[in-house]
Amino acid sequence: MSSPRRQGFTLIEGIVLVAIVGIVATIAVPNFIRLQTRNRTAEALTNLGALRDAQAARFAELGNFVRAGSAPEGVPGPQARPWVGADTLEFSQLLGFRPEGDVYFQYGVNGEGEAYTLTAMSDLDGRGPRAQFGLVHAAPGETLGLPHMFGSCARTGVWNPATQRASLRDRVGPCGAEDGTSRL
């Protein structure tokens, strides 16, 4: 006579399974969030590079840099937003710039004469503005860029790991050592 076959898990097997799933989740979730943050950061670096090229083209053609305000409208958050609003028209009309699809960052351009400042700011992880990127192009003979309404490196430059402060000019990058990182 054969014994009846058991179906399902024992309590111990269930506890072990839950523990394994919990360990995998504690490793995988923070790494996934960091990967998302890094990918969203790439948006800012790419778009700031495109804005830098647009300013250079404008200067080559007309002999001056341009101010285009801030776009898109509203407070940046962890969700992508459509590129709409009054200032987005300035970006496309004055600089020929329009990003691909929705954006995570708010962008700002302040230009005048032979100087300009580019800024990008977002709240990538929903825990307060943490990601600020920029580029400062000072006028010949000057050491400071033009101020802007947001972004901590608007006048001083982007983060320089060698000096541990924001001092790099004519380079797209983070405003501080922790910009573009997640708090996890």
Side-chain angles (χ1 to χ4, degrees), residues 77-139:
Q79 313 307 323
R81 300 175 304 143
W83 185 257
V84 295
D87 284 340
T88 60
L89 294 175
E90 287 183 343
F91 278 79
S92 50
Q93 291 172 347
L94 299 174
L95 291 166
F97 174 80
R98 178 165 176 76
E100 295 282 329
D102 295 345
V103 294
Y104 288 95
F105 285 80
Q106 182 176 34
Y107 296 92
V109 175
N110 189 8
E112 183 178 294
E114 296 184 43
Y116 69 91
T117 299
L118 306 175
T119 53
M121 183 175 68
S122 185
D123 178 8
L124 294 177
D125 59 8
R127 295 187 168 114
R130 185 86 171 159
Q132 296 182 34
F133 296 88
L135 179 139
V136 173
H137 177 82

Side-chain angles (χ1 to χ4, degrees), residues 132-153:
Q132 296 182 34
F133 296 88
L135 179 139
V136 173
H137 177 82
E142 297 290 325
T143 58
L144 296 176
L146 299 173
H148 199 270
M149 62 192 78
F150 64 82
S152 61
C153 64

Side-chain angles (χ1 to χ4, degrees), residues 11-36:
L11 180 60
I12 297 296
E13 289 171 333
I15 290 171
V16 169
L17 181 63
V18 168
I20 289 171
V21 169
I23 290 168
V24 169
T26 58
I27 294 169
V29 170
N31 286 335
F32 178 71
I33 291 172
R34 279 192 214 73
L35 178 65
Q36 275 187 319

Side-chain angles (χ1 to χ4, degrees), residues 158-167 175-177:
V158 302
W159 183 253
N160 183 346
T163 62
Q164 296 292 301
R165 62 187 188 97
S167 63
C175 294

